[in-house]
Amino acid sequence: MEFLGPFYGILTNAAYCWPTLIGVVVAGITIGYMGSPLVVWSLYLVAVAIGYSAPPVMIYALAMVLLLFNIQPLRQAIVSSGVMKVMKALQLIPKISDTERTALEAGVVWMEAELFSGKPDFKKMMDQPYGKLSDEEQKFLDNEANELCRLIDDWKFWKTREMQAEVFDFMKEKKFLGMIIPKEYGGLGFSHTAHSMILQKVSSRSIPASITIMVPNSLGPAELLNHYGTDEQKNKYLPRLANGTEIPCFGLTEPMAGSDAGSITSSGVLFKDSDGRIKIKLNWRKRWITLASISTLIGLAFQLRDPENLLGKGEDIGITCALIPSHLDGISLGLRHDPLSIPFHNCPMEGKDVIVDAEECIIGGLVNAGKGWGMLMESLGAGRGISLPAQSAGGNKLVSRLVSNHAVIRKQFGLPIGKFEGVEEPMARIAAKTYHTEAMSQYVLSALDQGIAPPVVTAMAKFACTEMARETLKEGMDVLGGAAISMGPRNSIATGWIAIPISITVEGANILTRTLMIFGQGALRAHPFAFKEVDAIENNDLKAFDKAFWGHIGHIVRNTLRSVVLSFTRGCLATSPHSGPSKRYFKKLAWASASFAILADLAMGLLGGQLKIKEKLTGRFADILIWMFIASAMLKKFDADGRKKEHEPLFHYSMAVAFHNIQIAFDGIFANMDIPILGLFFKGPIRWWSRFNTMSFEPSDEMGHRVVRGMLTDESVREVLSRGIYIPKDPNEGLGRMERAYYKIREAEPVEKKIKKAIRKKELPKGRIVSVLDLAVEKKIISQQELEVIKEAEMLRYDAIQVDSFNSHEYGPGGLPETGPEMVVRRPHES
């Protein structure tokens, strides 16, 4: 062994002192696991060398190298400068376009950064405050929002393809179109939480009505004026937008620019008129613009050019946002698209040689010329983080309420269908997705109400909530069966099922949101070091690069060790801010975060710029980030709701779904990590270990059974799954009828049990319960009062399972049945 020279003594000491060696290894793992700074690592390595009697020359050499790395100016000059040159030469840093940079710099990061860190601060995450309604907001929700829902006849919308004038007038009068406009300009000045809850309620009643409210309160003139408008523009337009005198739309999407909004071709050319005023000649062709055909004020995004350099910024100014009165010459409105027959105004519009005053019309005046892309990126969060998640949550809650009612009311083979395991299965999934969307929506609102606009978080909310709404509606259609496919006033689910692809498509198509935006932006924006490295290299800033690069190396070491340790201990060594039912999920989330963080670093480091085009891979990373965020949101919600015992089955089932989806995404990454040499390691041992040491299996049948039992019988669970939706008090309406039948049937259940018990004991003859009621009274098995209860329950059951039918006149386009109680009881047919 002498040929090993100076290493011989070290190896000999190590071989004969296994307890010491184990202690050294454990100490090293602990230092790395805790994310200790470089100086601690340096002292550790020197101490190990001394402890194992390394030759003095080796100790001195090691100390000098470590000293070099600890003295920042030396490290920058000798090491970091070379690393920076290599990374530039090998193009290991992805190129970022101007539009991508603007998107990355828009908004801020929030709790997604904790999940990206690999060591989330759970106390910080759980301390984020939920928004609370003011007394004024609560009163509006209980009164004006309820009254609007009462006025809406969604079936009439569907048949006539127009919103009733009284409904639109009520929206304008009560300022539903001006919820986000400050009170000093005549608006309601509501919080984001109030905005969301109002939309949830209206969405549970009517999709067209909710869309009509959504647009003026999300990306559009009011939102942009609030943030960027001049005082003159605010004073002129905001009061008129608040009271509905002005009806806004926003023109962004074009034939050649959909999700890639940066590719818009609509143009504006600056020129001076004879009076010396700077004007813009506009030409545009837009489509899929909501409310355009009835709009009086158009928000427009276009490419601005300045061929005479009037602004001193060169010829190509960039994307600009302006306000254009719709009555101007050259503007063509009035046509409508037909979005899956859902009757809201969705339209094309064109402008040819439209002349406007530049200072008056550019939002924020000439100083904001060319700043439109940043304005759009910062403002899109309203639609992505509030409107579409609220609409999805409202729809999911409605479906949960409908199926929980129907599963008690509808009988097959003598049993309520909710007793069948085949029906339990989709019902449990509906409950979980409802819980997911509600938790996610509330958690995102926490950021927005604090004045934080995190674009990655709002993109996750839009994608996840609309996708879960699609799945929930599908499951609801299955459970409701024939009652769901027979359209009419009784059917509260069909138009939602038809409309759901609209939500999937708008505000950025879900496919691209998942594969490009969530992880694409998140990988740089939410990562603690990646964007700083890119920025430093592009700006040739050696000091900033040195700090970011070596911080990144420490981040990788820490997360590698955390991932390994937490994987082998199944998260047991992670800390949890709470005890009780949620404790194990915090630990699993720490494990998932550490593994996600190191995998993301490996993918970015080894695939570099190629990662952009590996959208299947980035989609799976996005899935992990989304489900970690949803799990965080559920932990917050369970805590905020008081950690109620009766909610535990729903909480456990929903968390199991989240971690199972995280596991599926991890397995997909391991199977498709096409990296030289390391790829085989991921596809082999790592993939095998992941399957053996899975984070979570699918929820068990018993878990699903407990969830559905709560949906059917526990009012607290029913409330948490339908809180805030509109439930009609009129028993002649679809959901109102089901509610009345459900509660009366529940009241009659003890009576029914008495009769069934008597039949089993042969005190009553076999047969349908209704056929032995009088005999049961005669034999004093039930009282006369109980007889009346069960008779009414059975009558309401029969009425509630009927579906609408129409004569040839009513069935045709625009044909409407008569209104009133008669309509809902004539020509009944069982579903």
Side-chain angles (χ1 to χ4, degrees):
M1 295 290 291
E2 279 72 6
F3 72 91
L4 291 172
F7 295 101
Y8 180 72
I10 300 173
L11 292 170
T12 303
N13 287 338
Y16 285 101
C17 194
W18 288 109
T20 303
L21 179 61
I22 292 169
V24 167
V25 171
V26 170
I29 291 173
T30 303
I31 291 170
Y33 180 88
M34 298 300 294
S36 302
L38 180 59
V39 64
V40 175
W41 274 109
S42 301
L43 293 171
Y44 165 77
L45 291 172
V46 170
V48 169
I50 293 171
Y52 277 104
S53 304
V57 65
M58 286 184 63
I59 295 173
Y60 292 142
L62 177 63
M64 291 300 293
V65 170
L66 292 173
L67 188 64
L68 165 68
F69 276 90
N70 277 279
I71 299 174
Q72 193 174 6
L74 287 175
R75 185 179 69 214
Q76 287 175 25
I78 298 172
V79 183
S80 299
S81 59
V83 173
M84 191 172 171
K85 288 176 184 176
V86 169
M87 291 183 75
K88 276 184 179 180
L90 297 179
Q91 297 182 339
L92 296 178
I93 295 295
K95 292 181 180 179
I96 300 176
S97 67
D98 290 340
T99 52
E100 285 176 312
R101 176 171 287 279
T102 302
L104 286 167
E105 292 174 346
V108 294
V109 294
W110 189 54
M111 295 302 107
E112 77 279 26
E114 293 295 328
L115 298 170
F116 244 105
S117 73
K119 189 182 180 183
D121 183 341
F122 290 129
K123 185 177 185 306
K124 177 182 177 182
M125 294 176 77
M126 293 302 106
D127 284 347
Q128 298 303 305
Y130 268 175
K132 293 183 179 179
L133 298 183
S134 67
D135 291 343
E136 180 188 7
E137 290 169 339
Q138 186 66 58
K139 185 178 177 183
F140 188 93
L141 187 67
D142 294 339
N143 295 291
E144 283 85 348
N146 268 352
E147 179 61 14
L148 175 62
C149 290
R150 189 192 67 78
L151 287 173
I152 291 169
D153 184 339
D154 199 52
W155 175 242
K156 194 170 183 180
F157 280 10
W158 177 264
K159 292 296 286 184
T160 64
R161 300 170 70 82
E162 290 294 340
M163 182 182 291
Q164 299 98 300
E166 64 173 328
V167 173
F168 197 41
D169 289 343
F170 187 83
M171 284 181 181
K172 292 190 286 185
E173 177 192 344
K174 299 302 181 182
K175 301 182 180 179
F176 280 88
L177 308 185
M179 291 191 291
I180 65 169
I181 295 174
K183 290 183 178 180
E184 58 264 36
Y185 296 105
L188 294 176
F190 280 176
S191 65
H192 295 302
T193 296
H195 177 183
S196 173
M197 292 183 72
I198 291 164
L199 279 174
Q200 277 194 46
K201 179 164 282 190
V202 178
S203 296
S204 71
R205 180 66 162 168
S206 168
I207 296 297
S210 69
I211 292 172
T212 302
I213 295 171
M214 281 165 56
V215 171
N217 288 290
S218 57
L219 176 62
E223 174 79 3
L224 294 169
L225 283 169
N226 273 342
H227 293 289
Y228 311 107
T230 64
D231 288 340
E232 290 79 7
Q233 289 169 339
K234 290 179 180 180
N235 290 326
K236 178 178 179 180
Y237 287 118
L238 287 179
R240 295 170 63 81
L241 288 165
N243 63 26
T245 303
E246 300 278 6
I247 304 298
C249 71
F250 191 81
L252 179 60
T253 309
E254 299 177 358
M256 300 302 290
S259 295
D260 181 16
S263 297
I264 59 176
T265 59
S266 298
S267 66
V269 179
L270 291 170
F271 68 96
K272 272 190 180 180
D273 69 2
S274 56
D275 296 329
R277 296 282 298 178
I278 298 178
K279 300 289 184 73
I280 313 173
K281 179 186 284 189
L282 291 160
N283 285 277
W284 73 84
R285 180 173 290 176
K286 302 285 185 179
R287 66 179 179 184
W288 298 326
I289 310 304
T290 306
L291 300 187
S293 59
I294 58 170
S295 66
T296 61
L297 185 65
I298 300 168
L300 191 73
F302 58 95
Q303 295 281 0
L304 182 62
R305 292 178 56 246
D306 185 6
E308 300 176 44
N309 200 24
L310 299 174
L311 303 184
K313 298 179 179 181
E315 181 173 350
D316 293 318
I317 303 296
I319 294 175
T320 301
C321 294
L323 297 176
I324 315 296
S326 66
H327 67 268
L328 295 180
D329 291 341
I331 296 177
S332 297
L333 297 174
L335 295 177
R336 294 176 65 170
H337 302 304
D338 186 357
L340 296 175
S341 296
I342 302 300
F344 68 97
H345 288 267
N346 188 257
C347 324
M349 67 169 183
E350 296 183 14
K352 184 172 177 57
D353 295 338
V354 179
I355 307 298
V356 296
D357 184 282
E359 176 64 25
E360 290 179 3
C361 290
I362 294 175
I363 296 174
L366 285 168
V367 68
N368 276 350
K371 296 181 180 179
W373 184 240
M375 292 159 64
L376 292 172
M377 289 300 100
E378 290 177 1
S379 301
L380 277 167
R384 290 174 177 159
I386 302 173
S387 303
L388 291 165
Q391 189 182 67
S392 301
N396 285 352
K397 290 177 181 181
L398 174 64
V399 174
S400 286
R401 194 76 175 194
L402 287 169
V403 299
S404 63
N405 286 345
H406 185 75
V408 169
I409 296 166
R410 182 66 165 150
K411 278 187 171 182
Q412 292 286 282
F413 308 106
L415 286 174
I417 64 170
K419 301 276 189 180
F420 291 90
E421 288 195 359
V423 176
E424 273 190 356
E425 199 170 20
M427 285 185 67
R429 292 194 292 260
I430 288 169
K433 288 181 174 65
T434 303
Y435 198 70
H436 292 150
T437 50
E438 172 73 349
M440 193 177 203
S441 178
Q442 284 183 288
Y443 201 40
V444 173
L445 288 168
S446 171
L448 296 171
D449 273 339
Q450 293 178 69
I452 302 167
V456 174
V457 164
T458 54
M460 288 195 294
K462 185 269 174 179
F463 169 81
C465 290
T466 55
E467 286 293 337
M468 285 190 279
R470 172 157 58 183
E471 291 299 312
T472 299
L473 282 159
K474 184 192 77 171
E475 306 274 24
M477 293 290 290
D478 285 350
V479 173
L480 292 168
I485 64 169
S486 302
M487 296 194 70
R490 292 168 175 262
N491 190 336
S492 301
I493 192 175
T495 54
W497 169 244
I498 295 166
I500 189 60
I502 298 170
S503 299
I504 299 293
T505 302
V506 299
E507 298 280 12
N510 276 7
I511 290 173
L512 296 183
T513 300
R514 171 179 175 263
T515 57
L516 291 180
M517 186 175 181
I518 293 171
F519 185 72
Q521 283 194 26
L524 287 176
R525 195 71 181 83
H527 192 285
F529 301 105
F531 189 53
K532 294 174 183 176
E533 289 172 303
V534 173
D535 220 28
I537 288 177
E538 288 192 356
N539 295 322
N540 207 31
D541 186 337
L542 179 59
K543 185 176 180 180
F545 174 79
D546 175 86
K547 185 177 180 181
F549 179 78
W550 293 108
H552 197 164
I553 295 298
H555 175 78
I556 290 171
V557 171
R558 184 197 71 184
N559 284 331
T560 300
L561 290 170
R562 280 182 62 82
S563 177
V564 171
V565 170
L566 292 177
S567 177
F568 274 95
T569 61
R570 297 191 56 78
C572 289
L573 296 184
T575 57
S576 167
H578 297 156
S579 57
S582 60
K583 181 178 179 179
R584 57 176 158 153
Y585 298 118
F586 281 106
K587 291 175 176 288
K588 276 191 178 183
L589 192 55
W591 171 17
S593 174
S595 298
F596 170 79
I598 188 59
L599 274 177
D601 270 317
L602 283 170
M604 287 189 289
L606 297 175
L607 292 172
Q610 279 190 318
L611 189 59
K612 267 188 179 182
I613 60 172
K614 288 192 170 292
E615 295 171 19
K616 295 175 185 176
L617 201 61
T618 59
R620 293 183 182 102
F621 276 111
D623 291 341
I624 297 172
L625 183 59
I626 289 165
W627 282 106
M628 287 196 300
F629 188 84
I630 292 172
S632 306
M634 287 191 290
L635 287 164
K636 171 66 180 176
K637 177 173 174 57
F638 183 66
D639 184 55
D641 286 346
R643 308 186 209 175
K644 294 180 180 177
K645 188 76 176 174
E646 57 268 35
H647 294 176
E648 284 186 22
L650 176 61
F651 173 67
H652 289 309
Y653 184 96
S654 301
M655 292 299 291
V657 170
F659 281 105
H660 181 60
N661 284 325
I662 289 171
Q663 181 65 46
I664 289 171
F666 271 124
D667 288 342
I669 291 172
F670 297 145
N672 294 279
M673 203 64 143
D674 293 323
I675 298 171
I677 302 174
L678 273 180
L680 297 174
F681 182 65
F682 279 111
K683 292 177 182 180
I686 294 293
R687 189 180 178 192
W688 174 85
W689 171 251
S690 175
R691 289 182 174 181
F692 173 77
N693 189 44
T694 184
M695 284 187 183
S696 178
F697 295 103
E698 284 186 280
S700 69
D701 293 347
E702 178 57 28
M703 291 175 74
H705 172 70
R706 289 196 293 267
V707 169
V708 175
R709 186 168 57 199
M711 290 178 77
L712 300 182
T713 62
D714 192 311
E715 203 56 34
S716 175
V717 176
R718 278 167 58 83
E719 168 63 17
V720 82
L721 289 174
S722 57
R723 186 183 298 148
I725 67 169
Y726 178 71
I727 299 178
K729 294 181 179 178
D730 184 350
N732 291 317
E733 294 204 25
L735 179 56
R737 173 180 287 101
M738 292 182 76
E739 287 284 302
R740 184 173 65 161
Y742 169 85
Y743 286 109
K744 184 56 67 173
I745 289 167
R746 290 296 315 284
E747 184 185 345
E749 281 176 357
V751 185
E752 188 175 336
K753 285 180 180 178
K754 286 184 180 181
I755 295 171
K756 286 182 175 180
K757 183 178 179 182
I759 292 172
R760 285 196 301 271
K761 293 170 70 175
K762 298 185 179 180
E763 294 173 3
L764 292 171
K766 287 184 178 181
R768 294 181 62 198
I769 287 176
V770 293
S771 68
V772 298
L773 291 177
D774 292 334
L775 185 58
V777 174
E778 184 181 321
K779 291 191 172 187
K780 300 188 182 305
I781 294 168
I782 62 172
S783 68
Q784 185 66 37
Q785 184 180 0
E786 289 175 322
L787 172 67
E788 296 304 319
V789 168
I790 200 165
K791 276 187 172 181
E792 185 181 2
E794 290 305 309
M795 181 188 71
L796 292 176
R797 185 196 304 273
Y798 184 78
D799 177 53
I801 63 173
Q802 307 310 312
V803 297
D804 296 291
S805 58
F806 312 103
N807 63 37
S808 57
H809 168 71
E810 294 165 344
Y811 184 78
L816 286 168
E818 308 139 29
T819 57
E822 284 20 330
M823 172 196 69
V824 294
V825 296
R826 72 179 192 286
R827 298 187 305 279
H829 294 280
E830 289 193 56
S831 58

